[in-house]
Amino acid sequence: MPERRTVALVTLGCARNEVDSEELAGRLAADGWQLVEDATDADVAVVNTCGFVEAAKKDSVDALLEANDLKDHGRTQAVVAVGCMAERYGKELADALPEADGVLGFDDYSNISDRLQTILNGGIHASHTPRDRRKLLPISPAERQDAAGVALPGHAQEPAAPPQDLPEGVAPASGPRAPLRRRLGNDPVASVKLASGCDRRCSFCAIPSFRGSFISRRPSDVLSETRWLAEQGVKEVMLVSENNTSYGKDLGDIRLLETLLPELAAVDGIERIRVSYLQPAEMRPGLIDVLTGTDKVAPYFDLSFQHSAPGVLRAMRRFGDTDRFLELLETIRGKAPQAGARSNFIVGFPGESEGDLAELERFLSEARLDAIGVFGYSDEDGTEAAGYEDKLDPEVVAERLARVSRLAEELTAQRAAERVGETVRVLVDRVDDEDDGIVGRAAHQAPETDGVTLLTTDQDLRPGRMVEAKVVASEGVDLVAEVLSVDGTGCSEEAGR
């Protein structure tokens, strides 16, 4: 019997890429590939790249080069690039990076097993020619659900094998039209794609051109996938897409998320539902009510502000200003005082004045955000802003990035300190007896992007347990909390000490 083919998936970038990697893992496992964690043990190393900003693209290239080095020291015979950077640059990436034995776009995902086998056998699969994926779906959102033949990673694909023929741990995560999915790891949190693509035309962002126009997944598919994840031991589900606030617009109901969230929260075994990627201009009262008032739905607001000076926002082709953004946060906290809020910001955008920067600093100082990401502007290929005049010198951009980053660090530490004395519900993520101890996340802390909560207790806790704890200290953006009770079974406050 021939030795089983082995493959390792190295995932970079956002949670959407993590979902895509698990889809690829499901397809490969269903076709007989053995999934391994360490690329040194794999015949093929597949690097799921990120193509969002320059730093992410550099990380992707570094990961590909690092995987290529394994060909001289271990079992690895081939290195293949997939994901956003591969989709965005295609043949250009292949020419610039001959160390990659293949560069596969989204259209190759449904045939990923054949593609890898061809490359492993020494054959060549031609790198795809990038195209504007916004043009693949109808302009009218209402007509997109019936579009056939368009690769949409994460949904609307035919499974490669009937459910009864799939290996253990692999399932059509959302029913008959869903992708196969195989979990890569056993973390108690997992992401679920709510939609793909984006219809917004922010002048700095290239994502819609390679991710395509916005298209929602059907609620039944999202529910089925969540139930499957719960069966795999997942306790927290994070809903991801390029723009969750647009969910349902192509299904005839822009308020569909408000209906779906309580249904997801009712799935047996799920302890928390978290929604990411919210557009401030699309927030509506009903959605705020559901996010702040539904049991097991985290009152967590990942709001894409990007800036707060009106002139800069208009140049970005976005809406709002400092006062309107503060009013939105005030409305949210009026309904849920402990609600979490985070955002990302771009400094040094073309034409940004000192006054604009001061306006952003005013917003940050008053917004009381739990987490703040700050990026310096850089031109992105194919974006409108790349052609703008009034570009700032790189030295000025770097100085402003450092200045606002320092402010953000101070402000988020202050916000964490404000939470001392609060009672929080914490999901245990990991237990590290030698270093950090018991590490979890409260409702205002998303995985990877925000801070964590360090738990103190005499009890034997394991990942996936949900506890109630009292915040007793803060360390930067992180919290320190004493366990009060575990999964609803009380333990005295003294026992938690």
Side-chain angles (χ1 to χ4, degrees):
M1 186 174 181
E3 187 176 4
R4 199 172 185 189
R5 303 164 296 178
T6 56
V7 59
L9 285 142
V10 179
T11 307
L12 303 171
C14 65
R16 299 184 295 272
N17 258 16
E18 294 173 5
V19 177
D20 290 350
S21 285
E22 293 197 346
E23 176 189 343
L24 293 174
R27 291 184 176 279
L28 290 166
D31 203 43
W33 290 76
Q34 180 181 350
L35 298 165
V36 296
E37 292 185 14
D38 194 334
T40 58
D41 299 325
D43 297 316
V44 183
V46 177
V47 180
N48 192 349
T49 61
C50 178
F52 181 39
V53 295
E54 284 303 317
K57 287 184 277 191
K58 181 182 183 301
D59 289 344
S60 295
V61 171
D62 289 345
L64 288 164
L65 293 174
E66 182 178 342
N68 182 70
D69 289 342
L70 298 176
K71 289 191 284 189
D72 296 327
H73 303 98
R75 175 171 178 159
T76 308
Q77 301 173 51
V79 175
V80 175
V82 298
C84 291
M85 191 175 180
E87 173 65 36
R88 184 177 180 185
Y89 295 105
K91 189 175 185 301
E92 181 182 344
L93 176 62
D95 292 342
L97 198 69
E99 292 85 354
D101 299 288
V103 175
L104 306 180
F106 298 150
D107 294 331
D108 292 305
Y109 282 20
S110 60
N111 297 305
I112 186 67
S113 179
D114 290 342
R115 300 289 188 263
L116 296 190
Q117 189 62 60
T118 296
I119 293 168
L120 189 59
N121 291 342
I124 297 175
H125 178 71
S127 301
H128 77 109
T129 301
R131 51 183 173 168
D132 189 338
R133 298 193 73 86
R134 291 172 293 190
K135 298 178 180 178
L136 301 182
L137 292 171
I139 294 176
S140 170
E143 297 175 4
R144 292 174 188 166
Q145 289 289 327
D146 296 327
V150 178
L152 299 168
H155 59 148
Q157 304 288 324
E158 292 293 337
Q164 63 269 22
D165 295 335
L166 297 175
E168 183 178 356
V170 179
S174 328
R177 296 186 309 110
L180 302 176
R181 182 166 181 174
R182 168 72 176 267
R183 294 215 68 205
L184 296 172
N186 56 4
D187 291 344
V189 59
S191 297
V192 171
K193 272 196 179 180
L194 199 59
S196 293
C198 185
D199 287 340
R200 301 184 72 88
R201 294 296 179 262
C202 301
S203 63
F204 56 84
C205 184
I207 289 177
S209 66
F210 57 86
R211 276 288 184 180
S213 297
F214 184 89
I215 181 168
S216 303
R217 293 181 68 195
R218 295 187 179 277
S220 58
D221 289 348
V222 178
L223 273 165
S224 295
E225 184 166 350
T226 299
R227 293 189 186 104
W228 178 76
L229 288 168
E231 293 170 0
Q232 307 302 305
V234 169
K235 298 300 181 182
E236 177 179 327
V237 164
M238 185 165 70
L239 301 178
V240 299
S241 75
E242 279 72 25
N243 178 9
N244 281 333
T245 36
S246 282
Y247 180 69
K249 73 174 187 179
D250 51 324
L251 295 172
D253 185 359
I254 191 60
R255 295 176 177 81
L256 197 55
L257 185 55
E258 288 95 304
T259 304
L260 177 60
L261 284 172
E263 295 183 70
L264 292 171
V267 171
D268 189 37
I270 296 298
E271 295 293 336
R272 179 184 288 158
I273 300 292
R274 184 184 303 277
V275 184
S276 61
Y277 305 114
L278 301 170
Q279 288 291 340
E282 297 180 26
M283 291 301 295
R284 46 196 179 269
L287 181 55
I288 294 174
D289 288 342
V290 171
L291 288 171
T292 56
T294 306
D295 185 38
K296 294 189 177 181
V297 174
Y300 175 79
F301 292 81
D302 178 12
L303 295 160
S304 178
F305 289 125
Q306 301 300 342
H307 212 283
S308 74
V312 176
L313 286 168
R314 301 307 172 266
M316 290 179 169
R317 297 203 178 280
R318 297 180 65 83
F319 305 94
D321 55 45
T322 295
D323 292 335
R324 275 189 276 186
F325 291 164
L326 292 174
E327 287 173 7
L328 173 59
L329 292 169
E330 183 179 0
T331 298
I332 291 168
R333 291 174 177 138
K335 296 178 180 293
Q338 291 187 3
R342 77 166 326 275
S343 191
N344 293 325
F345 299 88
I346 298 173
V347 297
F349 194 79
E352 181 190 63
S353 67
E354 278 289 342
D356 293 329
L357 192 66
E359 183 70 0
L360 173 58
E361 291 172 325
R362 177 172 83 88
F363 171 69
L364 293 176
S365 298
E366 298 182 31
R368 297 170 58 232
L369 298 174
D370 293 281
I372 299 170
V374 187
F375 300 88
Y377 173 81
S378 62
D379 287 339
E380 282 295 314
D381 299 334
T383 61
E384 181 182 356
Y388 283 179
E389 299 179 354
D390 299 327
K391 298 280 179 62
L392 278 62
D393 289 338
E395 294 79 6
V396 174
V397 175
E399 186 277 327
R400 292 185 180 186
L401 174 61
R403 169 177 155 185
V404 177
S405 295
R406 285 193 298 270
L407 176 63
E409 185 176 352
E410 295 171 5
L411 293 171
T412 51
Q414 290 175 16
R415 178 66 183 124
E418 290 177 8
R419 291 191 178 275
V420 174
E422 290 184 359
T423 298
V424 293
R425 193 159 168 78
V426 179
L427 177 68
V428 177
D429 273 346
R430 69 181 189 274
V431 178
D432 187 342
D433 295 329
E434 294 184 0
D435 296 320
D436 297 327
I438 303 172
V439 181
R441 289 175 297 100
H444 70 280
Q445 296 169 322
E448 306 297 335
T449 58
D450 305 332
V452 298
T453 298
L454 307 174
L455 295 170
T456 60
T457 181
D458 294 332
Q459 298 193 70
D460 183 20
L461 295 179
R462 290 290 177 263
R465 299 299 295 270
M466 187 70 80
V467 307
E468 193 171 86
K470 182 178 180 180
V471 180
V472 296
S474 63
E475 298 177 357
V477 297
D478 298 333
L479 303 180
V480 179
E482 295 180 346
V483 174
L484 303 177
S485 62
V486 181
D487 288 345
T489 60
C491 66
S492 69
E493 199 167 333
E494 288 73 26
R497 297 189 179 115

